[in-house]
Amino acid sequence: MHTVAVGTSGTTVEDVIAVARGNARVELTDDARTALAAARQVVDALAARPEPVYGVSTGFGALATRHIGHDLRTQLQRNIVRSHAAGMGPSVEREVVRALMFLRLKTVASGRTGVRPEVAQTMADVLNAGITPVVHEYGSLGCSGDLAPLSHCALALMGEGDAEGPDGTVRPARELLAVHGIKPVELHEKEGLALLNGTDGMLGMLVMAIADLKRLYTSADITAALSLEALLGTAKVLAPELHAIRPHPGQAAAAANMRAVLEGSELTGHFQEEEAPRVQDAYSVRCAPQVAGAGRDTLAHALLVAERELAAAVDNPVVLVDATGTGEGRVESNGNFHGAPVAYVLDFLAIAAADLGSIAERRTDRLLDKNRSHGLPPFLADDAGVDSGLMIAQYTQAALVSEMKRLAVPASADSIPSSAMQEDHVSMGWSAARKLRTAIDNLTRIIAIELYAATRAIELRRSLRPAPASRAAITALRGAGVEGPGPDRFLAPELAATEAFVRDGALVAAVEPVTGLLA
């Protein structure tokens, strides 16, 4: 099994995906262990002093004015975890929790948090054992980090609360730790706070959303090209010189993908050979690269933000060790836990995804309307009237698009004060991430319905030969058990199988051997 090394210099998108979705093992590097020990030395020295130090010998948040004596500090760290593990609602997905835990370990390993090496090792052991703490949907405002979600993870390290084992069964965390030979941790000064105070949940969901959307934008270029082909549209609007004069890189990439898919098609270019010739195609067809391209550029910006966050050490307070090697250092409060940078791009992506879904639905509707489909039967039905064809599939697609528009309302535009007005401005980044995950699921279904309709429409154009890439897509889809519409055929299983075909990357995998690598 692949092993991800966790050092002091951050991590990568690929490593997050490997741990969250691929169950990769994690291993602390020697430099991480050295940095952990050095930072802990600073915390221990400060803890021995009579002066109060925030996070080390004080209360937290609005209670930071109280100095905590030595005899109560272990209890303080334990209590902050217990009191902050106050999430409610359904459990979030296993991959989200694994990403959150891994990213917290990444920050701990930076040597900026003051956590002892043995606590970091326990975090790694829990990940490697496949133990997933139960984390709830609600409890994060995206400032002071994802407090409740991270607290539920820290609770499991202490042998408290519930967790899911490798077999998917939820059991008391203490039992699962014992089964895997992991000793629960007793937290020392600063450690409870250090395990809770990060943007790891929203960042993990951002990283996975970027991976999913990268695949979906390529899939959307393919389905847009198939719809253009099925509608006998013109590929001239995809010419590279047209996109060079408006030099957005995402637009150029989307147009190049569509050109590659349409190469060799006999269906394109017939728009002026009809009884009522078209001068140009509708916006949903002609402007597909511009809309998808804007989304691609938004995705590129989101990746830039994610990579910066993956290189960051987010905690409050942080440990700053003297670079001269004297072992001295200090603990400083800061505001790096604020989730605004991540929250904004999560919302940007939801807006772009909604627009991509909207334009895909408009192309699907055009394929189904006999007055605009240029010779295709109503609703692509075998026997219109007796057979409703894809009429209600488009209803489903329209319902998904409508929800996408609601999900595009920014969470990060909101803020609600907490902690007796000490934490008086928050990012709502966790909420932005949760709704983006729903939006991505919906977008996958919207693209799947366009694919189902476009492949059906191309097959109905029997007198003309489609592009080789289109034939490859249709062959792969049929090979995946999707037969296409027919008399008395139950559509729901067909659409579900098409959704899986898109979600699993099978559409892109089917087309790329014909077109070459798509952007």
Side-chain angles (χ1 to χ4, degrees), residues 56-141:
V56 176
S57 53
T58 69
F60 309 113
L63 304 176
T65 55
R66 178 178 173 183
H67 181 240
I68 308 298
H70 288 276
D71 56 330
L72 294 176
R73 290 179 189 172
T74 296
Q75 182 181 342
L76 169 68
Q77 299 301 319
R78 182 171 62 246
N79 285 351
I80 189 177
V81 173
R82 288 174 174 171
S83 66
H84 284 47
M88 294 184 72
S91 301
V92 301
E93 303 83 358
R94 181 177 184 271
E95 67 177 18
V96 171
V97 181
R98 283 187 62 82
L100 180 155
M101 293 167 62
F102 171 65
L103 289 169
R104 198 68 213 140
L105 176 59
K106 176 269 299 181
T107 285
V108 165
S110 71
R112 299 292 187 185
T113 68
V115 168
R116 289 168 295 148
E118 51 264 43
V119 175
Q121 184 59 54
T122 301
M123 296 171 75
D125 291 343
V126 168
L127 276 168
N128 291 338
I131 298 171
T132 308
V134 172
V135 172
H136 300 279
E137 180 80 20
Y138 303 106
S140 173
L141 300 179

Side-chain angles (χ1 to χ4, degrees), residues 401-490:
V401 168
S402 181
E403 185 179 19
M404 292 279 284
K405 293 173 183 177
R406 293 194 298 275
L407 293 168
V409 175
S412 60
D414 187 27
S415 177
I416 188 163
S418 58
S419 192
M421 293 299 286
Q422 176 70 11
E423 299 166 9
D424 59 351
H425 185 276
V426 296
S427 76
M428 302 308 298
W430 174 275
S431 299
R434 297 305 297 166
K435 69 183 182 66
L436 178 59
R437 285 179 69 84
T438 302
I440 288 171
D441 284 343
N442 287 354
L443 179 60
T444 304
R445 297 178 183 117
I446 291 165
I447 292 171
I449 292 171
E450 182 180 19
L451 174 64
Y452 193 76
T455 51
R456 164 65 170 171
I458 289 171
E459 288 182 319
L460 290 170
R461 304 281 195 192
R462 295 183 180 90
S463 62
L464 296 168
R465 189 170 178 81
S470 302
R471 298 198 300 272
I474 293 169
T475 300
L477 187 61
R478 301 293 175 252
V482 179
E483 298 179 39
D488 304 320
R489 185 157 293 150
F490 181 24

Side-chain angles (χ1 to χ4, degrees), residues 10-367:
T11 190
T12 66
V13 167
E14 293 75 19
D15 283 348
V16 176
I17 299 296
V19 174
R21 291 178 168 170
N23 299 314
R25 294 181 60 80
V26 298
E27 185 176 284
L28 291 169
T29 63
D30 290 341
D31 69 319
R33 295 181 188 280
T34 300
L36 284 160
R40 187 64 209 178
Q41 185 177 351
V42 172
V43 171
D44 288 341
L46 292 171
R49 294 180 183 177
E51 302 87 4
V53 178
Y54 176 67
V56 176
S57 53
T58 69
F60 309 113
L63 304 176
T65 55
R66 178 178 173 183
H67 181 240
I68 308 298
H70 288 276
D71 56 330
L72 294 176
R73 290 179 189 172
T74 296
Q75 182 181 342
L76 169 68
Q77 299 301 319
R78 182 171 62 246
N79 285 351
I80 189 177
V81 173
R82 288 174 174 171
S83 66
H84 284 47
M88 294 184 72
S91 301
V92 301
E93 303 83 358
R94 181 177 184 271
E95 67 177 18
V96 171
V97 181
R98 283 187 62 82
L100 180 155
M101 293 167 62
F102 171 65
L103 289 169
R104 198 68 213 140
L105 176 59
K106 176 269 299 181
T107 285
V108 165
S110 71
R112 299 292 187 185
T113 68
V115 168
R116 289 168 295 148
E118 51 264 43
V119 175
Q121 184 59 54
T122 301
M123 296 171 75
D125 291 343
V126 168
L127 276 168
N128 291 338
I131 298 171
T132 308
V134 172
V135 172
H136 300 279
E137 180 80 20
Y138 303 106
S140 173
L141 300 179
C143 199
S144 285
D146 294 314
L147 285 174
L150 282 162
S151 297
H152 283 279
C153 292
L155 200 66
L157 296 177
M158 294 163 46
E160 301 182 19
D162 292 329
E164 180 184 299
D167 62 354
T169 302
V170 175
R171 298 168 59 184
R174 185 170 293 273
E175 291 181 11
L176 286 168
L177 294 181
V179 166
H180 293 276
I182 301 171
K183 183 180 178 181
V185 299
E186 182 177 70
L187 301 175
H188 292 189
E189 288 94 340
K190 195 185 177 304
E191 289 180 332
L193 186 59
L195 295 177
L196 317 185
N197 214 334
T199 55
D200 309 288
M202 66 181 90
L203 176 58
M205 286 185 275
L206 173 62
V207 168
M208 290 185 284
I210 288 169
D212 293 339
L213 285 168
K214 186 176 186 301
R215 181 184 65 254
L216 287 175
Y217 272 98
T218 303
S219 299
D221 292 340
I222 295 170
T223 58
L226 296 178
S227 291
L228 183 153
E229 190 175 29
L231 290 167
L232 306 178
T234 175
K236 291 182 178 180
V237 295
L238 305 174
E241 56 269 29
L242 291 175
H243 298 278
I245 60 175
R246 195 188 191 193
H248 293 288
Q251 176 180 324
N257 283 348
M258 291 182 67
R259 282 198 310 275
V261 173
L262 293 170
E263 181 68 31
S265 174
E266 295 180 1
L267 278 74
T268 59
H270 294 273
F271 62 110
Q272 290 184 330
E273 299 175 4
E274 304 164 353
E275 292 182 6
R278 287 167 281 165
V279 175
Q280 53 193 4
D281 291 315
Y283 285 7
S284 60
V285 178
R286 187 171 14 131
C287 302
Q290 285 77 8
V291 172
R296 283 174 170 274
D297 290 342
T298 303
L299 189 61
H301 173 63
L303 177 60
L304 177 64
V305 171
E307 288 174 340
R308 289 171 177 166
E309 287 286 310
L310 291 172
V314 176
D315 192 18
N316 180 50
V318 293
V319 179
L320 300 176
V321 179
D322 189 338
T324 62
T326 62
E328 297 181 358
R330 64 190 196 274
V331 172
E332 295 285 359
S333 292
N334 65 90
N336 286 340
F337 51 75
H338 199 291
V342 180
Y344 290 172
V345 293
L346 287 162
D347 280 333
F348 297 164
L349 291 176
I351 293 168
D355 203 29
L356 187 64
S358 178
I359 198 170
E361 184 275 331
R362 288 294 79 207
R363 290 190 296 264
T364 304
D365 179 68
R366 187 166 288 272
L367 288 166

